[in-house]
Amino acid sequence: MIQLAKKLKSILEKAGKLKPEDGEAMLAEAQKERRPLSELLVKKGVVTEGEILAHLSRAANLPAIDLGRLKVNKEVLDAVPMDVAKDYKIFPIDRIGTILTIAVANPFDVVKLDDIRIITGCQLRPVISTEEAIEKILGQAYRSDEETVGDILGSFEDADLELKETESEDEGMDLSAISDEASPVVKMVNKIIAEAVASGASDIHIEPFEKRVVVRYRRDGDMVQVMELPKRMQNNVTSRIKIMSKLDIAEKQKPQDGKFQMKLGNKAIDFRVSILPVIWGEKTVFRILDSSNLALDIKGLGFEQRCLDDYLWACERPYGMILVTGPTGSGKSTTLYSAVRHIASPDINLVTVEDPVEYTMEGINQVPVNPKRGLTFAGALRSILRQDPDVVLLGEIRDHETLEIAIKAALTGHLVLSTLHTNDAPSTITRMVDMGVDPFMVSSATILICAQRLARKLCTHCKQPSDLPKKVYIEAGLTEAEVSSPEFQPAKAVGCPRCNQGYKGRFALLETMRMTDPVRRMVVERANVMDIKNQSLKEGMITLRRAGLMNVLRGKTTLEEVVRSTMAD
């Protein structure tokens, strides 16, 4: 699709949507990452998907179509074989006699259109869509022709795989049944994974109970039950996952962690697997690491302008420590990776220490922690400091030893980026002092502390104006002037087939606290957290709740979502 990318770049440049120098850089990045240019442009906020469709439609003199609103005609699918549709990146929409309407991502490739005309024996009526929209609907539409969950479960029963009830380590296991690609177990595991990825889930949970096994996905932060498996299938499914992750299938009494990679469509997706013994068996959790969904551009993360300015300012410092805090799953890694991508250049030695390495980045030295072999965060950091680094990303600070080495590195000419688990930015100071570090060292080494949460984004296709009175928003923290301004356009979640109960996707809320001279003095004097917070607020700090309310004001999310994901100031 290189030709399409170049054509799209040219079209957007002529329309004034893209500067020539930016277009060349983004084209090179898209080719390097093997991603559609349209996807990259939307991710970075250069243009919307609707704008891309409009410009392509105008240039090709063909109508555009929103495939997300399309009702699939299964009879028309027979006109184009699945492998042809996927290879040529097209989707059949309608057929009247010998006239076939198809959605194409590249309407300028006449050779491809001739091939499809010959294969189908139909006259073509092309309409415009994007490559990623076509790939998404292809996976959903043609999957209906594959085996359903019921079919797979039926074949499992027909296979009559024997499941031993004993929990001894020498339990008999039919390994051929859980490694043969045609087996029901393999089909079921593959189906669970494929549907999770297609639905945009971030995690898969396979949970054993007394008489059933529940499969749930985490979508936009919420857990959603998608299916139930028979209890007799439990051990075989778990063993299949262990084989994929190169774990010990005989070990059932200890937690195990592993990973594997699968290619789905044209994307290679990594999965991080955790297996935990529970009362009714072993619970399995997959973390889906799809690098194509990772927005590594700082300006594309959706931070408030003040927070973005603070973060960029800190990234440009030659030395010091930047901390991003928050609970597990709050997007801290994405924020740190964005800083690494922003800082990285050929004249800088940048090294990361991670447990595990979630996303690989070209040109960055990434060190995976391996405690079993004696490679801990502290040990790896000591070794890295002998490698003459300029910038060090430390996946997590877990103990006094690691914190102490990180602070010394920040004080000796290195820029250190890391994470901690705290509720907000000011309380991070107390946390570091409680871990045994002198307040003077904390104030001297730290340059910026960020607290982060993820909030669900309203679906743009179905959201409606909020009917809550303005008084409710004022009580939540917005001012009279803000609720009376033209920008005040609060919305509510409704729900449609394209979203999850009115929400689609998540965005980051960031709270940034600069270590200014007054704040440093307060830290050295062991001032309490509230005093430090009040001083930072005087200096213009935007809290997590305030960042959320500013997005409520613009209609990006709801007041209920902000109250759910942030603490009151």
Side-chain angles (χ1 to χ4, degrees), residues 397-400 403 420 430-437:
I397 293 176
R398 298 176 177 173
D399 51 46
H400 168 76
L403 177 59
L420 268 175
T430 306
R431 170 75 176 133
M432 288 194 285
V433 173
D434 288 345
M435 290 175 73
V437 178

Side-chain angles (χ1 to χ4, degrees), residues 42-101:
V42 172
K43 289 273 186 185
K44 290 182 178 289
V46 177
V47 289
T48 64
E49 185 175 308
E51 289 174 327
I52 290 175
L53 284 176
H55 287 294
L56 283 174
S57 174
R58 198 175 299 116
N61 196 26
L62 291 173
I65 187 170
D66 183 354
L67 292 178
R69 297 171 179 262
L70 180 70
K71 186 175 181 180
V72 177
N73 186 340
K74 295 182 180 179
E75 294 179 1
V76 179
L77 295 180
D78 296 334
V80 182
M82 179 173 63
D83 55 345
V84 173
K86 290 185 176 181
D87 287 344
Y88 284 88
K89 296 288 191 304
I90 64 164
F91 185 75
I93 295 173
D94 194 17
R95 182 177 181 176
I96 302 175
T98 59
I99 300 175
L100 180 66
T101 303

Side-chain angles (χ1 to χ4, degrees), residues 17 45 53 85 171 177 190 253 304 318 328 353 383 402 415 434 567:
K17 289 289 184 179
L53 284 176
E171 175 181 353
N190 290 347
Q253 305 302 321
E304 295 303 315
T328 301
V353 188
S383 298
T402 307
L415 183 62
D434 288 345
M567 296 286 288

Side-chain angles (χ1 to χ4, degrees), residues 167-464:
E167 291 295 328
S168 64
E169 291 194 1
D170 61 348
E171 175 181 353
M173 184 68 64
D174 185 353
L175 294 183
S176 64
I178 54 177
S179 59
D180 180 5
E181 290 298 323
S183 79
V185 176
V186 173
K187 290 179 181 178
M188 178 58 73
V189 172
N190 290 347
K191 188 170 186 65
I192 290 171
I193 292 172
E195 291 192 351
V197 172
S199 68
S202 61
D203 300 87
I204 305 170
H205 292 244
I206 303 177
E207 303 169 320
F209 295 100
E210 183 178 6
K211 296 180 180 179
R212 61 194 177 116
V213 177
V214 173
V215 180
R216 297 196 291 169
Y217 297 160
R218 185 178 292 279
R219 295 178 187 150
D220 296 331
D222 289 339
M223 296 291 289
V224 181
Q225 182 171 327
V226 292
M227 68 179 78
E228 285 189 13
L229 305 179
K231 185 69 175 177
R232 62 192 297 271
M233 204 172 188
Q234 173 183 314
N235 285 0
N236 290 289
V237 168
T238 304
S239 295
R240 168 60 183 167
I241 295 166
K242 287 181 179 179
I243 289 173
M244 296 169 70
S245 310
K246 295 182 172 59
L247 300 177
D248 184 358
I249 65 170
E251 179 57 69
K252 297 190 176 185
Q253 305 302 321
K254 295 180 182 178
Q256 295 189 69
D257 296 310
K259 60 183 179 179
F260 64 92
Q261 186 180 85
M262 284 184 71
K263 189 168 184 181
L264 297 172
N266 61 352
K267 294 191 293 186
I269 299 176
D270 295 300
F271 297 85
R272 198 170 77 203
V273 178
S274 173
I275 296 180
L276 179 71
V278 294
I279 189 171
W280 299 114
E282 292 174 285
K283 178 184 176 182
T284 302
V285 177
F286 299 74
R287 169 63 58 86
I288 302 172
L289 305 173
D290 183 358
S291 58
S292 66
N293 291 332
L294 190 67
L296 290 174
D297 183 68
I298 292 180
K299 296 178 182 178
L301 295 177
F303 298 153
E304 295 303 315
Q305 190 59 49
R306 165 62 192 256
C307 301
L308 177 61
D309 291 342
D310 286 344
Y311 198 49
L312 291 173
W313 169 84
C315 290
E316 291 166 2
R317 300 303 94 191
Y319 56 86
M321 186 160 64
I322 302 172
L323 292 173
V324 182
T325 73
T328 301
S330 60
K332 301 188 297 295
S333 295
T334 301
T335 301
L336 287 177
Y337 278 130
S338 71
V340 168
R341 179 63 65 88
H342 179 76
I343 295 168
S345 69
D347 57 345
I348 287 179
N349 180 15
L350 199 158
V351 186
T352 75
V353 188
E354 305 170 61
D355 182 24
V357 174
E358 292 192 359
Y359 298 99
T360 57
M361 292 180 286
E362 183 67 28
I364 307 297
N365 299 295
Q366 296 175 268
V367 180
V369 169
N370 191 338
K372 293 180 181 178
R373 297 186 178 180
L375 184 61
T376 61
F377 275 113
L381 186 53
R382 280 198 193 91
S383 298
I384 284 171
L385 294 177
R386 301 188 193 103
Q387 297 265 320
D388 186 33
D390 298 298
V391 181
V392 178
L393 186 152
L394 193 59
E396 185 180 348
I397 293 176
R398 298 176 177 173
D399 51 46
H400 168 76
E401 183 183 15
T402 307
L403 177 59
E404 189 174 43
I405 299 169
I407 286 179
K408 287 180 179 177
L411 291 172
T412 54
H414 305 88
L415 183 62
V416 179
L417 299 91
S418 191
T419 69
L420 268 175
H421 291 282
T422 60
N423 289 328
D424 58 12
S427 63
T428 306
I429 301 293
T430 306
R431 170 75 176 133
M432 288 194 285
V433 173
D434 288 345
M435 290 175 73
V437 178
D438 187 274
F440 175 76
M441 299 283 281
V442 172
S443 66
S444 301
T446 312
I447 56 175
L448 183 73
I449 300 174
C450 310
Q452 184 166 310
R453 297 292 186 277
L454 291 180
R456 291 181 296 172
K457 193 187 305 181
L458 277 169
C459 174
T460 56
H461 297 280
C462 67
K463 70 176 183 180
Q464 294 180 5

